[in-house]
Amino acid sequence: MKKFHRFASILSAAVLAFSLTAVSAAADETTVPEPVPTSAPEPYNSGSAYIIAQTATDAAGGEISAIEREDRFNLVLRVADYGACDANITADQISARMNSAVFTFTGNAEIGQLFEETDANGADYYSYVLLFRDVIYNGGGNTASINLSYLNSTLEMQQLTVTLGQCVDEEPSTPNLMIRESSYGSEAVVAGTPFTLDLMLYATGGEENLNDVVVSLALPDGITMTSGSLTTYVGAMEPKSTRNVSFSLTPAAGYTGGVANISVSLSGTGADTNAAVSGMATTISVPISQPDRFELGQLEVPEVIYVGDSASVTLNFVNKGKTSVDNLEASISGENLGVDVSQQYLGNLAPGTENSVDFDLAPQTAGTLEGTITLTYEDASGAVRTVTKDFSAMVEEMNYFYDDPSLMEPDVVEEEPSGLPVWGWVLIAAGVLVVLVIVIRVVRKKKKAAALAKLEDSDDEDL
């Protein structure tokens, strides 16, 4: 060694010690390149810089064996330059900048350990350390260009190339898209009633964000949009993040399909790789039921029932809906009913039809009889529903005086008098009287007529 250059540096003693240790360890395994042969013209002019040792370390100075995307590390290079020796370059004149999209580093490298040395052929050169602190690996390769300049000198800028075998140059994994949760608000949606389909989107694990995420629906016949669009633009999503979207839908009033299968498609692109992402195909099954229009009708029950006697109670019902009422059952409960059969299976009731159920009653004690008839059935969605009807009647003791003919007293019947009744005699007398009057009048008329005739005869004789 002919000369030793001390230089002013912004590095602390700790940084210098770190750099020296790291580079020395790497230099032990790196062969210093042979100088340019002496026969070459102008062998030591600009363009004569070499990287004679390199290493990548973590923040604590430990050597790194693998560098993955988004990793941060320190790059340490030892450079030998024959031309810089002739120019008497100092440390504050050295400017090294990284020129690569593969790595992110801004500013100049830190300079240290500037020495003048002699190679095996007796040629002088400068060696020094370049420290690029907190470099970010972006992927897309493992080679970087270093623009090396000596400020305030006539030496031209040189470009060094460094290749890091530690870099794991793999494309970042792109998240996928899926529907994590879905909801339509209730167990079943009633036909003709709007409902909201809520979806939770999930971006699976990955190493890049997603852009232009879009959610689209494909609706079956009978389901329409209440408002809005079948496609919703979500935008950007980070890996392992969720987003909520909603769609307002309405089933037709006459929808009788039972279940509406709604297809959901998801799409997006990788923010770094522009890789197209097609989310997992998803089908949301929404049960659609017709309005429950099963109604109870008139209840028929006697006002009075006698102890020991039997009577029946009848409940009418009708299905006014567009779908059948299935597995219809009827039961009766209460006190003092005296029923032998308290439950009946009635089967299915088609839409637009009516039926009735009868229960026989045989109360055992007098008083007020109160009971309840309960009907259970399955609606169009399969849900079990229950309707009830209360009834009451008076129960009275049996009146045997009137009800048992053998115990009834005979009616007292007054004997009618024999012969013609009085009013008959009155009528006969009146009739006789009328006849007498008529006879008397006839006789008188005849007598008068005879007298007149006799008088006329006597007058004729006198003449």
Side-chain angles (χ1 to χ4, degrees):
M1 179 184 299
K2 291 182 180 180
K3 299 178 184 177
F4 175 75
H5 290 271
R6 296 185 180 273
F7 57 92
S9 175
I10 60 174
L11 299 179
S12 66
V15 172
L16 292 174
F18 154 72
S19 301
L20 178 59
T21 302
V23 175
S24 297
D28 291 340
E29 302 176 1
T30 305
T31 302
V32 177
E34 290 294 324
V36 178
T38 56
S39 60
E42 300 180 348
Y44 309 126
N45 291 333
S46 62
S48 55
Y50 299 84
I51 297 175
I52 60 175
Q54 68 182 54
T55 188
T57 68
D58 57 23
E63 188 171 0
I64 296 176
S65 60
I67 303 173
E68 298 182 353
R69 290 175 181 261
E70 307 299 329
D71 282 354
R72 295 174 179 268
F73 65 97
N74 297 328
L75 176 61
V76 184
L77 306 176
R78 177 168 284 281
V79 177
D81 191 343
Y82 290 91
C85 185
D86 293 339
N88 293 320
I89 296 299
T90 60
D92 57 359
Q93 291 181 265
I94 302 173
S95 175
R97 301 178 68 89
M98 188 172 290
N99 180 18
S100 174
V102 176
F103 302 95
T104 297
F105 180 82
T106 57
N108 294 319
E110 300 173 20
I111 314 300
Q113 302 181 24
L114 176 60
F115 298 98
E116 184 181 343
E117 303 188 50
T118 301
D119 64 17
N121 295 325
D124 297 332
Y125 65 94
Y126 274 0
S127 70
Y128 50 87
V129 172
L130 301 179
L131 173 59
F132 297 87
R133 191 187 300 275
D134 201 27
V135 179
I136 301 174
Y137 178 50
N138 301 319
N142 61 354
T143 300
S145 297
I146 308 297
N147 294 335
L148 179 62
S149 301
Y150 298 108
L151 306 177
N152 301 319
S153 73
T154 60
L155 298 177
E156 297 180 358
M157 183 187 74
Q158 303 178 67
Q159 192 169 74
L160 307 178
T161 300
V162 58
T163 300
L164 297 178
Q166 299 97 321
C167 293
V168 180
D169 186 21
E170 296 180 354
E171 289 292 331
S173 59
T174 303
N176 204 346
L177 291 168
M178 62 182 295
I179 300 297
R180 171 171 281 185
E181 295 179 5
S182 64
S183 173
Y184 41 83
S186 60
E187 293 182 358
V189 175
V190 178
T193 303
F195 69 97
T196 299
L197 178 63
D198 295 316
L199 304 175
M200 177 187 286
L201 279 62
Y202 176 67
T204 62
E207 298 175 353
E208 65 173 340
N209 293 342
L210 294 176
N211 288 338
D212 299 327
V213 176
V214 174
V215 185
S216 299
L217 299 185
L219 303 179
D221 292 339
I223 307 296
T224 58
M225 291 293 299
T226 306
S227 61
S229 171
L230 288 173
T231 300
T232 295
Y233 180 80
V234 177
M237 291 186 65
E238 298 178 352
K240 297 184 179 180
S241 65
T242 60
R243 293 287 294 275
N244 295 319
V245 296
S246 299
F247 296 88
S248 181
L249 308 174
T250 301
Y255 190 89
T256 56
V259 175
N261 293 317
I262 301 173
S263 299
V264 182
S265 60
L266 309 172
S267 63
T269 57
D272 299 326
T273 62
N274 285 326
V277 175
S278 296
M280 301 172 60
T282 304
T283 298
I284 308 297
S285 296
V286 180
I288 309 293
S289 65
Q290 281 290 318
D292 183 15
R293 300 192 62 193
F294 179 77
E295 298 179 5
L296 299 180
Q298 184 178 2
L299 180 70
E300 301 173 6
V301 60
E303 294 183 0
V304 178
I305 306 174
Y306 294 102
V307 175
D309 198 1
S310 63
S312 64
V313 56
T314 301
L315 178 61
N316 299 288
F317 48 84
V318 60
N319 179 13
K320 296 182 179 180
K322 290 183 170 56
T323 56
S324 66
V325 169
D326 299 329
N327 296 321
L328 180 62
E329 293 183 354
S331 62
I332 189 170
S333 61
E335 297 294 333
N336 194 30
L337 300 180
V339 295
D340 294 329
V341 178
S342 61
Q343 188 167 352
Q344 299 182 43
Y345 179 76
L346 306 177
N348 301 336
L349 185 63
T353 59
E354 59 181 347
N355 204 341
S356 63
V357 61
D358 299 319
F359 288 98
D360 292 330
L361 306 176
Q364 301 300 311
T365 59
T368 301
L369 178 151
E370 294 183 349
T372 300
I373 296 178
T374 301
L375 299 182
T376 60
Y377 61 94
E378 295 177 5
D379 63 13
S381 66
V384 177
R385 297 183 179 272
T386 301
V387 291
T388 60
K389 190 77 169 182
D390 297 329
F391 66 92
S392 63
M394 292 299 299
V395 180
E396 297 180 356
E397 294 288 350
M398 181 70 75
N399 190 339
Y400 294 100
F401 179 80
Y402 289 100
D403 293 344
D404 189 347
S406 64
L407 300 178
M408 294 176 59
E409 294 183 1
D411 292 335
V412 177
V413 180
E414 296 182 358
E415 294 184 0
E416 296 182 358
S418 58
L420 191 65
V422 174
W423 57 269
W425 289 107
V426 173
L427 291 177
I428 292 173
V432 172
L433 181 61
V434 170
V435 171
L436 290 175
V437 171
I438 294 173
V439 170
I440 292 172
R441 288 183 176 180
V442 171
V443 171
R444 287 179 176 179
K445 287 182 177 181
K446 288 182 177 181
K447 287 182 177 182
K448 187 177 181 178
L452 291 175
K454 187 177 178 178
L455 181 61
E456 288 178 354
D457 292 337
S458 63
D459 291 338
D460 289 338
E461 291 179 356
D462 293 336
L463 291 176

